[in-house]
Amino acid sequence: PSLSSMGAGDVVSITALELVQFLEDEEDATAVVDVRDTDYAGGHIRGCINLPFLEFDRHVQNLIVSLRTKKRVVFHCFYSKARGPKSARIFARYAAMKLRTNAPDVLVLNGGMNAFVYESKQGGVDGERILKWLEGYDPEAWEE
């Protein structure tokens, strides 16, 4: 679905390049929430908020208050298959209740941090754009 057709509590998936476009165009209007736990080590998206999934429920209300002026909030974990999407849905539901029509768009980074790092290694203009947002990168942490 397009962002304009989203209803309260809906969550939409975006690519690494779409996230970088938001950050390049409207960094102040975009928040990135990384819900990885111990797997946070090895690199993250510059400027992200690390709120481990195991602590998410306890802090979601404060997160909503602190991000209430953002246009969009992007969630992710390592693969964005479970923790990231679940956190996004919880945030979207509470934000819709608390902020009503002023709630930010809630998005999930497709493929999570794994995809972000992979895309940054692809070279070319797009890879370089993504790489600029990768902070604290430790290649050894990404070896399988």
Side-chain angles (χ1 to χ4, degrees), residues 4 19 28 33 35 37 45 47 52 57 65 83 94 102 134-135:
S4 60
L19 171 56
D28 292 340
V33 180
V35 296
D37 300 293
I45 297 169
D57 282 343
V65 170
R83 297 172 293 174
Y94 282 118
N102 295 323
L134 186 58
E135 191 170 75

Side-chain angles (χ1 to χ4, degrees), residues 18-121:
E18 288 170 323
L19 171 56
V20 165
Q21 189 69 52
F22 283 137
L23 292 170
E24 289 172 346
D25 292 348
E26 297 181 290
E27 182 177 2
D28 292 340
T30 305
V32 178
V33 180
D34 185 333
V35 296
R36 291 179 293 158
D37 300 293
T38 57
D39 53 339
Y40 181 76
H44 56 272
I45 297 169
R46 185 174 33 130
C48 75
I49 298 165
N50 180 227
L51 179 55
F53 182 72
L54 296 174
E55 300 172 22
F56 190 80
D57 282 343
R58 193 173 38 189
H59 297 286
V60 66
Q61 297 290 349
N62 291 336
L63 187 65
I64 289 166
V65 170
S66 68
L67 300 179
R68 70 187 176 282
T69 61
K70 299 295 183 183
K71 187 174 182 179
R72 70 191 60 82
V73 181
V74 182
F75 287 84
H76 75 87
C77 55
F78 192 79
Y79 292 113
S80 288
K81 290 191 182 278
R83 297 172 293 174
K86 184 173 183 180
S87 299
R89 286 190 300 274
I90 292 167
F91 181 91
R93 186 171 56 246
Y94 282 118
M97 287 188 298
K98 190 169 188 110
L99 304 174
R100 310 247 187 259
T101 58
N102 295 323
D105 292 333
V106 180
L107 309 165
V108 174
L109 176 59
N110 189 37
M113 194 63 194
N114 187 60
F116 196 88
V117 169
Y118 175 81
E119 293 295 327
S120 76
K121 293 179 177 181

